[in-house]
Amino acid sequence: MTCFMSRNSRKEVIDTSQIHIEPNLTYEEKPIKILDQKQRATRRRTINFYKVQWSNHSKEEATWEQEEFLQTKYP
């Protein structure tokens, strides 16, 4: 069996000394920074979304989250 690697693949080194790993091999993500925001309108309401950079992740890995989720989980 032959294995091919892409030329564009990159190796990332992650400093695991800053990550507290639980016994079940999970760790908690915390929002670091809000990078962008947008609104989506439905028939009855407008929903605010925020692009969030999470701890232990780069800006390229940021995700869009609803305002309600962020307010309830991270007041």
Side-chain angles (χ1 to χ4, degrees):
M1 178 179 270
T2 306
C3 184
F4 295 96
M5 291 190 69
S6 170
R7 290 182 185 173
N8 295 333
S9 67
R10 60 183 176 161
K11 294 182 181 178
E12 250 182 79
V13 178
I14 299 173
D15 181 18
T16 57
S17 65
Q18 301 293 330
I19 302 173
H20 175 70
I21 299 177
E22 300 293 329
N24 63 357
L25 301 179
T26 61
Y27 61 94
E28 183 179 355
E29 292 288 342
K30 296 178 183 172
I32 296 177
K33 190 187 308 183
I34 297 200
L35 303 173
D36 198 2
Q37 83 173 53
K38 66 181 176 182
Q39 292 182 339
R40 295 238 173 139
T42 64
R43 291 183 181 186
R44 295 186 177 87
R45 65 184 185 130
T46 301
I47 303 170
N48 292 320
F49 286 90
Y50 295 95
K51 191 170 188 178
V52 179
Q53 180 180 355
W54 298 94
S55 60
N56 309 312
H57 292 280
S58 65
K59 286 184 180 180
E60 291 81 24
E61 298 174 312
T63 59
W64 287 99
E65 304 294 340
Q66 286 188 18
E67 181 179 34
E68 293 174 10
F69 167 76
L70 293 172
Q71 285 181 345
T72 56
K73 185 133 183 180
Y74 307 101

